[in-house]
Amino acid sequence: MAATAIAVATMKVAQVSGPGGDFQIVERKIPTPGAGEVRIKVQACGVCHSDALTKEGAWPGIQYPRVPGHEVAGIIDEVGESVTAWKKGQRVGVGWHGGQDNTCLSCRRGDFRNCRNVLIPGISYDGGYQQYMVAPVGALAAIPESLSDVEAAPLLCAGITTFNALRHSGALPSDLVAIQGIGGLGHLGIQFASKFGYKVAAIGRGPENAALAKKLGANVYIDSKATNAAEELQKLGGAQVILATAPSSKSMSELIDGLGPNGKLMVIGAAFEPIEVTPVQLIMGSKTIQGWAAGTPTDSEDTLRFAELTGVRPMIETYPLEEAAEAYARMMSGKAQFRVVITM
Ligand SMILES: [Zn+2]
Ligand SMILES: [Zn+2]
């Protein structure tokens, strides 16, 4: 009598085996969602600079092997026990905010974005560089029909971060808002700022991005290599907000004198060197410096809806999952135009 083989359904994942390790493409058993979780058939996953935290092991307590990825777009293909608000077949996204504990002081105050024990996909649990991913319902954002998976994915970290930082910056329509850096974050920041009705000054290094910045909605392009960008902003009256997207503390420091009265430097480019500023620079004109991190899944839904309403879209380069290492290297090179997305 012939023995019957029991087929175990498997999937491909791109994992990092340890801090600084190379990407490995391996087969794993397709996971089963537990209570309060769903399984997502991943369609696309953006590659974010913060994936370096997983790749290089810079996040305290991260465990390996780990699958990076927190710009996930896909379809729910299985729901766990006690999941009532989400259904099989629904299109969903997962961003940086991958769940909260609901018990810390921030959560008890309703400030879920700043949960002390926030879960991050790709760090706290396996993220989107894989064919199937399990996520807690607290991580899910619904994706509107009109947005494709590869368009939606980068909006779930790069998009929400620029959108949310700008809408909480205090800038009002017609205010001068500068976007520093024309990259993965900046090219979306320019579009959102334009659609919010700001007077948009895009700040890049060199003349090559001037035409593109204007096409994305910038009213003014400032080449910070050829001119003193802070002085150029002052000639325009001083910026109400400067959204600092490029992870260069030096160029952020140089821009502070470009702020107008009550102006704010909004920092989202994650650099590790200090920003240099004198107390007098801040005191004169009551200026502020503020940091901002992504947002909750409902903020993601706002971002996606706004993109749907206004036509804001990421510019992307796509790579198949098998080329996750190449996709990551391309993102790290800083040469991608502008967001790298892995497709399954
Ligand atoms: Zn990110
Ligand atoms: Zn919490």
Side-chain angles (χ1 to χ4, degrees):
M1 218 189 215
T4 319
I6 297 168
V8 177
T10 62
M11 62 173 183
K12 274 202 192 83
V13 321
Q15 67 178 27
V16 179
S17 58
D22 290 331
F23 281 99
Q24 303 168 324
I25 306 294
V26 299
E27 296 262 330
R28 284 196 198 170
K29 190 170 166 267
I30 294 176
T32 307
E37 295 176 337
V38 302
R39 184 173 65 212
I40 300 165
K41 185 174 191 300
V42 180
Q43 305 284 13
C45 183
V47 178
C48 179
H49 196 267
S50 300
D51 294 344
L53 297 168
T54 305
K55 177 74 170 54
E56 304 306 331
W59 195 270
I62 185 170
Q63 291 180 349
Y64 293 92
R66 186 54 83 219
V67 177
H70 58 264
E71 286 188 347
V72 189
I75 302 164
I76 295 177
D77 94 315
E78 194 68 74
V79 298
E81 225 177 283
S82 76
V83 175
T84 51
W86 300 89
K87 289 183 175 51
K88 224 169 142 169
Q90 205 172 347
R91 293 180 70 219
V92 289
V94 175
W96 176 259
H97 187 106
Q100 71 256 351
D101 64 3
N102 290 316
T103 57
C104 77
L105 192 56
S106 296
C107 285
R108 288 167 58 212
R109 289 193 165 124
D111 183 12
F112 304 116
R113 193 173 57 83
N114 289 314
C115 173
R116 306 288 171 97
N117 301 301
V118 67
L119 298 174
I120 302 161
I123 294 179
S124 315
Y125 53 87
D126 285 333
Y129 289 26
Q130 56 180 341
Q131 291 178 308
Y132 292 88
M133 166 186 175
V134 166
V137 291
L140 303 179
I143 298 179
E145 267 319 303
S146 71
L147 290 178
S148 72
D149 298 306
V150 291
E151 287 172 336
L155 293 173
L156 294 158
C157 183
I160 181 183
T161 302
T162 48
F163 174 83
N164 231 10
L166 284 171
R167 73 171 173 167
H168 288 101
S169 70
L172 295 171
S174 88
D175 280 347
L176 177 65
V177 171
I179 310 293
Q180 169 256 12
I182 299 162
L185 290 166
H187 89 289
L188 287 165
I190 293 169
Q191 295 180 65
F192 284 125
S194 169
K195 298 295 183 187
F196 285 2
Y198 304 146
K199 179 172 179 178
V200 183
I203 303 172
R205 291 191 69 72
E208 55 273 14
N209 280 325
L212 175 69
K214 295 264 177 79
K215 205 178 131 209
L216 293 171
N219 303 99
V220 184
Y221 180 77
I222 298 173
D223 176 354
S224 62
K225 230 186 212 170
T227 60
N228 180 321
E231 279 174 16
E232 294 304 309
L233 289 174
Q234 285 302 340
K235 281 181 201 164
L236 298 168
Q240 180 60 43
V241 165
I242 299 173
L243 183 69
T245 76
S248 161
S249 306
K250 185 170 173 285
S251 67
M252 291 182 199
S253 305
E254 288 167 1
L255 283 174
I256 292 166
D257 284 336
L259 291 170
N262 302 303
K264 181 184 283 182
L265 179 71
M266 197 71 158
V267 178
I268 59 171
F272 289 92
E273 297 76 39
I275 293 172
E276 280 186 29
V277 60
T278 67
V280 172
Q281 276 177 290
L282 298 178
I283 291 167
M284 300 300 289
S286 309
K287 289 154 195 163
T288 54
I289 300 177
Q290 184 183 351
W292 193 273
T296 61
T298 44
D299 291 324
S300 283
E301 290 183 357
D302 294 345
T303 307
L304 295 168
R305 190 181 319 111
F306 187 86
E308 182 181 43
L309 286 168
T310 60
V312 171
R313 294 290 186 277
M315 292 170 68
I316 57 167
E317 296 179 2
T318 61
Y319 287 76
L321 178 64
E322 291 74 13
E323 291 173 24
E326 288 81 359
Y328 178 81
R330 178 70 175 160
M331 178 279 298
M332 289 302 280
S333 76
K335 291 182 182 137
Q337 301 279 322
F338 283 97
R339 209 66 184 166
V340 176
V341 180
I342 292 173
T343 55
M344 304 307 144

